[in-house]
Amino acid sequence: MIAARLMRRGVMPAVTARVTSATMPLPRSMLMPLASFSSISRSTVGTTNSFGAGSGSAGKPLELKYLEANGSLALALPLTGDPHSEIGLGMKLFSLHPTTSVASFVSQVQLEDTTAKDVQIRTQKGVPVAPETAFSSLMADDFQIVLNDKVLRVAAPVFTGDAYTSLPQDGGLDMRAIAHKAAIIKLRETIANHPKWKIDVTEFKKLAADHGIPPKQASQVLHAFHQVGLVFHFSQAADEELKSAVFLKPRNILDGYFDSLGLIPPSTQRYVEKRQQLEADLAAIMPEHDALLHLQAQLDETAHKRTAVYCYLSSAGLVGTGGLYAWLTFVEYSWDIMEPITYFTGFGVSVLSYFWWTLTTSEYEYGNVYDFIYQRRRNALYTKSQFDPIKLDNLQAKVAGIHRDIADITTKLTKPTCLQAEFLKEK
């Protein structure tokens, strides 16, 4: 009531901001559907102030914003075609996709405001933008919109990245944040694999631009990389050369600095800690490894002894069979009777040899026969003693791997301090 009285008396001016509706149907390729536009939350489009309702010529610029619900863009412009609107008060809200071209946007503005005879889009420095340029490229930096004699400054979104070329337009997905992280991850990988150990700030910004990070965000990314230790950039240094340098191998710098102070370099500490951890792991598994290895040796020796007994008995059987055939031939019977018996005995051995090859796919030789008997005896002993040879093999492989890693670390510790970080591998 008090506010209404003040307004009627002229003490408090009545300031209204409204979003006029479109008087003509909007092209589907450029503007979002009406259903999508109506789904925007009231907190986002409730008033034109949320889209930057200033004139853009002075003070706060107009803002080009994302509509999080569907990935479109929103821009509120002060148009004079409506007799009820004034510059800075009556605003027309345009909703468009990042693929919309500058020419399409200019045509739509002229359709909405017949008094807008001269509509141009320029860069922040006043250079006209090509008509075929898409907003996805334009909004990498701030720009200007010229409406007749009015120059309106437009602030680009905080980050564009490659949200509209690499991510699906999911209504529940914050595409800006994910695109931002995707570009930074790719930049981080490029820096990690960069052949140089030092570059300047200009080259870093060029690398950032190649990964879709706008120039005005590259400095923030560089500062963040410095804060987390991915690179070193001493922007507050008094030395100009140091101030403009970006060190891509921060571990090497730290190692050299610690070594110059007579301290243990961080990479050396990592190697020592890693070797100590490997030695602790080795000490933990060696008792079980040694016990299983000793048990295997005992079981193998027992299997060999039992196989040897079988061989001795077989030898005695062969000698006995030879003596029996000699006694039958020269004492009990004659060669005429024993000759067919010896023939069929030899033929029987040949048949048994063929069956042996069929069952074992190996030649009937003394070594193969011995190994066959030994393997059967050993497997029986393993089963009876509940011995797991696969477990022992895994432990032996693990022990051998730990010994190799320890030897590898010992070799790397002999390298110069400034190069030790190059051999440090994260596992």
Side-chain angles (χ1 to χ4, degrees):
M1 295 295 293
I2 296 176
R5 292 176 182 176
L6 292 175
M7 291 173 61
R8 284 197 298 268
R9 295 178 182 178
V11 178
M12 179 183 294
V15 180
T16 60
R18 58 192 179 88
V19 179
T20 60
S21 60
T23 58
M24 299 183 64
L26 305 182
R28 182 179 299 271
S29 61
M30 181 174 67
L31 301 183
M32 60 183 290
L34 183 59
S36 300
F37 181 77
S38 62
S39 64
I40 303 173
S41 62
R42 183 176 299 273
S43 62
T44 306
V45 197
T47 65
T48 55
N49 290 335
S50 63
F51 291 97
S55 65
S57 59
K60 184 178 179 181
L62 302 175
E63 294 185 29
L64 178 65
K65 289 192 173 184
Y66 285 95
L67 299 180
E68 301 292 352
N70 54 17
S72 297
L73 300 168
L75 177 62
L77 291 180
L79 301 182
T80 60
D82 188 346
H84 300 288
S85 67
E86 300 178 7
I87 294 294
L89 297 180
M91 306 293 290
K92 175 62 183 177
L93 181 63
F94 290 88
S95 178
L96 58 154
H97 286 286
T99 55
T100 302
S101 65
V102 169
S104 299
F105 177 73
V106 170
S107 299
Q108 185 61 32
V109 172
Q110 291 176 338
L111 286 175
E112 295 294 335
D113 188 355
T114 56
T115 64
K117 302 300 182 181
D118 182 18
V119 181
Q120 298 182 22
I121 296 183
R122 302 175 180 175
T123 64
Q124 198 173 11
K125 297 181 179 180
V127 180
V129 179
E132 65 274 8
T133 303
F135 267 79
S136 58
S137 301
L138 177 65
M139 63 186 181
D141 203 352
D142 298 346
F143 57 94
Q144 299 175 353
I145 296 180
V146 179
L147 294 177
N148 295 330
D149 58 343
K150 299 290 184 180
V151 179
L152 307 176
R153 295 184 297 112
V154 180
V158 175
F159 182 81
T160 58
D162 49 4
Y164 300 97
T165 58
S166 64
L167 292 177
Q169 294 191 4
D170 189 344
L173 189 65
D174 186 355
M175 291 181 289
R176 282 186 300 166
I178 294 182
H180 193 176
K181 291 178 176 60
I184 290 179
I185 290 173
K186 290 189 291 185
L187 176 61
R188 185 185 64 183
E189 293 174 351
T190 300
I191 289 176
N193 299 322
H194 202 281
K196 297 181 180 179
W197 68 279
K198 183 184 74 170
I199 59 177
D200 56 21
V201 176
T202 303
E203 189 172 354
F204 179 87
K205 290 183 177 180
K206 183 179 182 301
L207 288 175
D210 293 340
H211 290 78
I213 300 177
K216 70 176 186 178
Q217 302 297 323
S219 298
Q220 299 177 10
V221 173
L222 177 58
H223 179 71
F225 279 5
H226 173 78
Q227 290 293 321
V228 299
L230 293 177
V231 300
F232 279 164
H233 174 56
F234 305 100
S235 58
Q236 305 299 326
D239 185 75
E240 290 297 329
E241 183 178 359
L242 182 61
K243 186 176 181 179
S244 62
V246 179
F247 298 94
L248 305 182
K249 311 293 182 183
R251 285 177 176 171
N252 298 28
I253 305 300
L254 283 177
D255 290 342
Y257 180 71
F258 273 66
D259 190 46
S260 65
L261 297 178
L263 303 175
I264 300 177
S267 295
T268 303
Q269 295 179 11
R270 289 286 303 276
Y271 281 128
V272 172
E273 292 173 358
K274 193 173 182 180
R275 183 171 62 182
Q276 292 175 349
Q277 181 62 43
L278 290 173
E279 291 173 349
D281 294 341
L282 184 63
I285 64 175
M286 283 306 295
E288 183 180 12
H289 171 270
D290 293 341
L292 290 176
L293 192 62
H294 180 68
L295 178 60
Q296 184 188 43
Q298 288 183 332
L299 296 177
D300 291 349
E301 184 179 1
T302 302
H304 276 295
K305 289 181 178 180
R306 294 185 179 181
T307 305
V309 171
Y310 176 83
C311 292
Y312 294 147
L313 293 176
S314 299
S315 300
L318 290 175
V319 173
T321 302
L324 176 63
Y325 276 28
W327 178 76
L328 292 175
T329 301
F330 297 106
V331 178
E332 187 68 22
Y333 304 112
S334 64
W335 175 247
D336 294 336
I337 297 175
M338 292 302 299
E339 182 178 9
I341 296 176
T342 56
Y343 170 78
F344 283 107
T345 301
F347 179 74
V349 172
S350 300
V351 173
L352 292 176
S353 300
Y354 177 76
F355 276 117
W356 168 270
W357 179 85
T358 303
L359 294 175
T360 64
T361 64
S362 62
E363 295 292 336
Y364 182 74
E365 297 177 352
Y366 295 140
N368 293 336
V369 174
Y370 181 90
D371 186 66
F372 176 78
I373 298 173
Y374 167 73
Q375 294 291 343
R376 293 194 62 180
R377 296 289 183 182
R378 188 181 67 170
N379 292 338
L381 291 173
Y382 283 177
T383 302
K384 184 178 180 180
S385 302
Q386 297 182 348
F387 172 76
D388 187 1
I390 298 178
K391 184 177 182 180
L392 177 59
D393 292 341
N394 293 336
L395 285 175
Q396 287 179 321
K398 189 173 182 179
V399 169
I402 292 176
H403 281 300
R404 284 195 303 269
D405 291 342
I406 292 176
D408 186 54
I409 290 176
T410 303
T411 302
K412 291 175 180 178
L413 283 173
T414 61
K415 302 290 183 181
T417 302
C418 59
L419 298 179
Q420 288 182 5
E422 296 296 326
F423 299 95
L424 189 61
K425 295 182 179 180
E426 299 290 346
K427 290 187 177 180

